[in-house]
C-alpha cells in the first residue's frame, strides 16, 4: 500500500476526528440559525412596538376614539400653528426600552377592560374619569413627568417669553419642588369634576 493509501486508511480509522468535524458543522449551522431567528424575533418585536405606539392603533377601539381622542384632537398637543403633534404614546408610554416594555406588558389590563366594557360608553368613562386621571397623575409625579421632559427641556426655555408666574414655577423644576404635571394637568384631556388636581394623589 502506498503512503497516500495509508493516509486515507488512518483518516477512516480515526472516528474522533470524524466526530469533531460533525460537531463543528452542527454548531456552526445551529449558531447561524439561532442568530437569524433572534434577529427575526427582534425585528418583529420592534415592528409590533412601533405599530402599537401609533395614534391609529390607540384610537382603533371606540372607547379611546370617542372619549380620549375626541377631547385631545383640538388641544395644543393635537392641533397648533406649527403642526407638531404629541400623540398618545408620546405622553403615556415611556421612551426608554425597559419602561416601554413594562408599559406594553401592563397594557394587558387595558385589553381586559376593553373586553369587559368598563368604559364602553361616555357615561361610564365620565364616571371613572377621576380614577383614570389619578393613575396618570401619580405615574407622572413618580417619574418626574419624564414623558413631558422627553420633548420639553426646561433648560432650553426662554424665560423672557414667559409670564412672571410661569418663570417662577419653572424655576422650581430644578429644585424638585414642582414637576410638569403639577401645573399642566388637563392640557390634553378634560379635568375631573370636583376641583381635584395632582396634589390630591401624592402621599404626604
Amino acid at each position: 500500500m502506498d503512503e497516500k493509501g495509508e493516509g486515507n486508511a488512518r483518516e477512516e480509522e480515526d472516528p474522533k476526528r470524524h466526530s469533531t468535524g460533525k460537531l463543528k458543522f452542527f454548531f456552526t449551522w445551529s449558531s447561524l440559525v439561532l442568530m437569524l431567528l433572534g434577529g427575526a424575533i427582534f425585528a418583529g418585536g420592534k415592528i409590533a412596538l412601533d405599530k402599537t405606539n401609533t395614534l391609529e392603533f390607540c384610537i382603533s377601539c371606540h372607547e379611546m376614539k370617542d372619549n380620549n381622542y375626541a377631547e385631545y384632537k383640538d388641544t395644543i398637543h393635537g392641533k397648533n400653528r406649527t403642526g407638531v403633534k404629541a400623540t398618545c404614546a408620546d405622553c403615556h408610554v415611556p421612551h426608554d426600552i425597559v419602561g416601554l416594555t413594562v408599559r406594553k406588558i401592563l397594557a394587558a389590563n387595558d385589553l381586559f377592560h376593553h373586553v369587559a366594557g368598563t368604559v364602553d360608553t361616555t357615561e361610564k368613562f365620565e364616571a371613572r374619569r377621576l380614577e383614570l386621571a389619578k393613575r396618570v397623575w401619580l405615574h407622572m409625579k413618580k417619574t418626574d413627568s419624564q414623558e413631558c421632559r422627553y420633548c420639553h427641556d426646561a433648560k432650553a426655555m426662554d424665560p423672557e417669553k414667559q409670564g412672571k408666574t410661569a418663570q417662577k414655577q419653572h424655576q422650581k423644576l430644578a429644585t424638585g419642588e414642582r414637576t410638569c404635571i403639577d401645573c399642566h394637568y388637563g392640557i390634553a384631556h378634560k379635568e375631573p369634576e370636583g376641583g381635584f388636581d395632582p396634589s390630591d394623589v401624592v402621599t404626604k
Side-chain angles (χ1 to χ4, degrees):
M1 183 180 289
D2 58 20
E3 292 182 4
K4 186 175 181 181
E6 290 177 1
N8 289 337
R10 281 196 297 271
E11 288 181 7
E12 291 174 1
E13 293 170 1
D14 190 355
K16 187 175 181 181
R17 183 175 179 180
H18 186 63
S19 297
T20 301
K22 279 187 173 181
L23 282 174
K24 283 183 178 180
F25 178 83
F26 173 77
F27 284 119
T28 298
W29 281 100
S30 295
S31 299
L32 181 60
V33 169
L34 287 174
M35 287 173 61
L36 290 173
L37 183 60
I41 292 173
F42 177 81
K46 181 69 168 64
I47 291 172
L49 288 175
D50 289 343
K51 178 67 177 176
T52 57
N53 266 356
T54 62
L55 177 63
E56 291 73 23
F57 179 84
C58 291
I59 63 173
S60 60
C61 61
H62 76 89
E63 294 97 328
M64 295 295 289
K65 186 176 182 179
D66 297 344
N67 298 300
N68 304 70
Y69 178 70
E71 58 191 41
Y72 144 87
K73 62 185 178 66
D74 292 320
T75 66
I76 192 67
H77 279 131
K79 188 176 183 180
N80 53 66
R81 64 183 179 83
T82 61
V84 177
K85 293 177 22 174
T87 60
C88 310
D90 293 317
C91 298
H92 295 287
V93 179
H95 296 270
D96 64 287
I97 188 62
V98 174
L100 185 153
T101 303
V102 170
R103 180 65 190 93
K104 292 301 179 181
I105 293 172
L106 294 177
N109 183 59
D110 299 336
L111 292 175
F112 168 78
H113 287 290
H114 170 68
V115 174
T118 307
V119 289
D120 59 354
T121 67
T122 300
E123 292 73 24
K124 289 181 181 179
F125 181 81
E126 289 298 335
R128 295 176 66 106
R129 182 183 288 275
L130 177 59
E131 176 189 342
L132 297 170
K134 282 184 175 182
R135 290 180 187 175
V136 175
W137 293 343
L138 186 56
H139 166 75
M140 289 192 169
K141 292 286 285 186
K142 285 181 176 179
T143 63
D144 194 16
S145 304
Q146 66 177 1
E147 285 80 23
C148 301
R149 293 174 184 272
Y150 187 80
C151 294
H152 299 279
D153 184 354
K155 294 179 181 178
M157 294 178 183
D158 185 351
E160 296 303 315
K161 294 182 180 180
Q162 299 175 348
K164 295 298 181 182
T165 300
Q167 290 180 27
K168 184 178 179 180
Q169 294 302 324
H170 286 151
Q171 288 174 358
K172 295 179 180 179
L173 291 174
T175 63
E177 293 179 68
R178 290 284 186 275
T179 187
C180 310
I181 196 62
D182 286 318
C183 299
H184 296 288
Y185 61 95
I187 197 167
H189 302 291
K190 295 176 183 177
E191 297 175 20
E193 294 181 0
F196 294 98
D197 64 51
S199 64
D200 297 310
V201 301
V202 178
T203 302
K204 301 295 184 182

